Amino acid sequence: MTTALPIPIEFELPTGWSAVSPEDVGATPLAYVALHDRTHGRFRANITIAGALRADSQTRPARPAGPAELEELGEAAFARLARGAGVTMVQRRAISSHGAPGLAQVVQVSTSIEDGPIDLTQGQAYLHLTDPQEPGRQMMVEVVLTCLAEDSGQLVPQFEEFVASVRPTR
């Protein structure tokens, strides 16, 4: 599937997931949303993708994001979650998808929804992608899985496979 991001990407959606329009689920700022076919009820597992060109993408020579920049993105995402929920960092590590450097982290989130408290797991991945047509154009992509904590053992590995498939469209 190809998404509408500043640099088009493609990926392989795992079996058991279905693409939906971000507008249909009230997620218009996002480029892409997928829902898990077998998680219903209180909370439906989802994968989202957002991205933007790096601010300095056109003003400096192309170079991949360094570990410090990726760590900052991970820390900022963790801090955003912590403002509205109890959060615990489970894992953070460097990753790569088709040669693009990245950072992955898994966070446990305790929060409330309409019918009371809920424990979620969020897998977050940040990938620095370069436009294969214009190497000076670079984008940071945020890929996020949110699921019930009890479903994370099954869904986090699927999410990791999904992230590994993300690449710029050639």
Side-chain angles (χ1 to χ4, degrees):
M1 304 190 101
T2 303
T3 65
L5 291 166
I7 298 171
I9 64 170
E10 53 192 25
F11 46 81
E12 296 156 24
L13 194 59
T15 302
W17 292 85
S18 298
V20 297
S21 166
E23 293 81 18
D24 290 348
V25 292
T28 54
L30 301 172
Y32 182 82
V33 176
L35 299 176
H36 192 261
D37 297 336
R38 291 179 294 280
T39 57
H40 298 280
R42 265 189 102 201
F43 188 86
R44 189 147 183 208
N46 61 81
I47 294 175
T48 62
I49 299 176
L53 287 176
R54 288 181 52 173
D56 60 354
S57 183
Q58 299 295 328
T59 61
R60 64 168 176 72
R63 67 167 175 73
E69 182 179 354
L70 293 165
E71 286 278 333
E72 286 176 20
L73 286 170
E75 285 295 328
F78 185 80
R80 278 192 310 273
L81 280 175
R83 284 195 292 267
V87 295
T88 303
M89 180 67 65
V90 176
Q91 179 186 51
R92 179 181 285 163
R93 63 186 170 85
I95 61 169
S96 177
S97 178
H98 295 271
L103 176 86
Q105 56 191 27
V106 178
V107 179
Q108 297 293 348
V109 182
S110 294
T111 191
S112 293
I113 59 174
E114 296 168 355
D115 60 349
I118 191 167
D119 291 322
L120 302 171
T121 296
Q122 199 169 78
Q124 304 169 343
Y126 301 91
L127 298 171
H128 177 250
L129 302 178
T130 299
D131 188 334
Q133 309 304 319
E134 295 180 55
R137 288 179 38 127
Q138 302 166 357
M139 174 176 67
M140 196 60 72
V141 175
E142 178 184 56
V143 186
V144 177
L145 161 74
T146 307
C147 65
L148 288 171
E150 62 207 49
D151 295 330
S152 64
Q154 172 195 0
L155 299 181
V156 169
Q158 290 180 12
F159 175 70
E160 291 170 345
E161 289 178 26
F162 175 74
V163 170
S165 77
V166 174
R167 62 200 170 274
T169 302
R170 297 200 176 264

